[in-house]
Amino acid sequence: MEHSTEILYNKTEVYCSAVHRFGSDALLLARFCEPKRSQTAADLCSGCGIVSLEWHDRGHRGPCAAVELQPEASALLQQAVAEQGIGHITPHLADLRSFREGEGQFDVCACNPPYFAAGPQSAKAGRATARHETDCTLEDVCACGFRLLKDGGRLALCHRPERLAEVLAVLRAHRLEPKRLAFVKNRPDAAPWLFLVEAQKNRRTGLRIEPDVLITAGAAMYGSAASAEKR
């Protein structure tokens, strides 16, 4: 399958296409909710697999299910893990609304969901599906997360600030209690353009607001640029 290649900090390769790429939001999400080395994890709405591959690049080696509805995106991840010998990531070409494999057994789930419930859509079907709630709503994501997670397991999302109240309400309606919240800004004096939230299944209330994530501090860097920054 024809693709371009992005290389993460520890040399893990991510295969992308013109339609199925990744942005800084997905990288930030992966780092916000990084599973422990042997934990069982799920990358929901996985696209080209950036979240699961970033986890791998940072040392995760537990079972990881990457669930994606679009065949072309799932095929990119399938090729990437096969050619790099990454055996613990399993791409699933599946609809998360009906996905039940391993339910109740996951420690961590992450989802970079479609951001828009309304408004104009891209003429490209793949991009429209990734950005608009045509095939996957916020309710669908939270229902799947609750179904897959064990008690105390974590579901993390990234989303747009204008939908913060809605996201928190839907999480709680699905017995996923918000525990951590961070805002992403381009500069310290700028308004946030993204937030990251982590909720736990069947836990008590208690939300911690974490320091802002600043893009100018290199928070979303990867590959050779990130390597140079770390040195």
Side-chain angles (χ1 to χ4, degrees), residues 2 22 35 38 42 54 71 75-76 85 94-95 104 115 118 121 129 132 146 161 183 187 191 200 214-215 225:
E2 186 176 349
F22 65 91
S38 60
E54 173 71 2
L76 286 168
D95 189 328
Y115 289 153
Q121 296 185 19
T129 297
H132 287 80
F146 182 84
F183 293 96
R187 307 181 314 276
Q200 284 187 282
L214 298 177
I215 300 299

Side-chain angles (χ1 to χ4, degrees), residues 113 133 136-143 157 159 163 166-167 170:
E133 293 186 343
C136 174
T137 67
L138 186 56
E139 292 269 356
D140 296 330
V141 171
C142 292
L157 306 173
H159 223 298
R163 296 190 69 183
E166 179 187 359
V167 169
V170 174

Side-chain angles (χ1 to χ4, degrees), residues 61 102 113 115 142 152-153 155 222 226 230:
R61 294 297 182 270
Y115 289 153
C142 292
L155 171 66
Y222 67 96
K230 289 190 178 185

Side-chain angles (χ1 to χ4, degrees), residues 158-167 183-184 191-195:
C158 56
H159 223 298
R160 295 295 182 94
E162 59 266 29
R163 296 190 69 183
L164 174 60
E166 179 187 359
V167 169
F183 293 96
V184 179
W193 60 272
L194 187 78
F195 70 84

Side-chain angles (χ1 to χ4, degrees), residues 29-175:
L29 174 66
R31 295 166 188 172
F32 180 74
C33 63
E34 187 174 349
K36 295 179 181 178
R37 182 177 177 86
S38 60
Q39 285 186 322
T40 301
D43 176 7
L44 307 176
C45 300
S46 61
C48 64
I50 177 56
V51 169
S52 49
L53 289 169
E54 173 71 2
W55 284 341
H56 171 83
D57 195 67
R58 295 168 72 87
H60 180 239
R61 294 297 182 270
C64 183
V67 182
E68 172 55 45
L69 180 66
Q70 299 191 65
E72 298 86 355
S74 187
L76 286 168
L77 178 58
Q78 181 69 62
Q79 185 176 354
V81 297
E83 293 183 359
Q84 295 176 86
I86 301 174
H88 70 101
I89 297 175
T90 304
H92 294 270
L93 178 58
D95 189 328
L96 62 75
R97 292 173 290 190
S98 57
F99 185 75
R100 293 184 173 276
E101 188 167 330
E103 62 181 351
Q105 299 178 24
F106 287 82
D107 298 291
V108 179
C109 294
C111 186
N112 181 0
Y115 289 153
F116 304 107
Q121 296 185 19
S122 171
K124 295 180 179 179
R127 185 165 176 78
T129 297
R131 292 176 61 81
H132 287 80
E133 293 186 343
T134 54
D135 298 293
C136 174
T137 67
L138 186 56
E139 292 269 356
D140 296 330
V141 171
C142 292
C144 181
F146 182 84
R147 190 167 62 244
L148 295 183
L149 289 169
K150 59 180 64 172
D151 269 6
R154 301 177 286 141
L155 171 66
L157 306 173
C158 56
H159 223 298
R160 295 295 182 94
E162 59 266 29
R163 296 190 69 183
L164 174 60
E166 179 187 359
V167 169
L168 296 181
V170 174
L171 283 168
R172 297 193 76 185
H174 287 82
R175 293 160 54 193

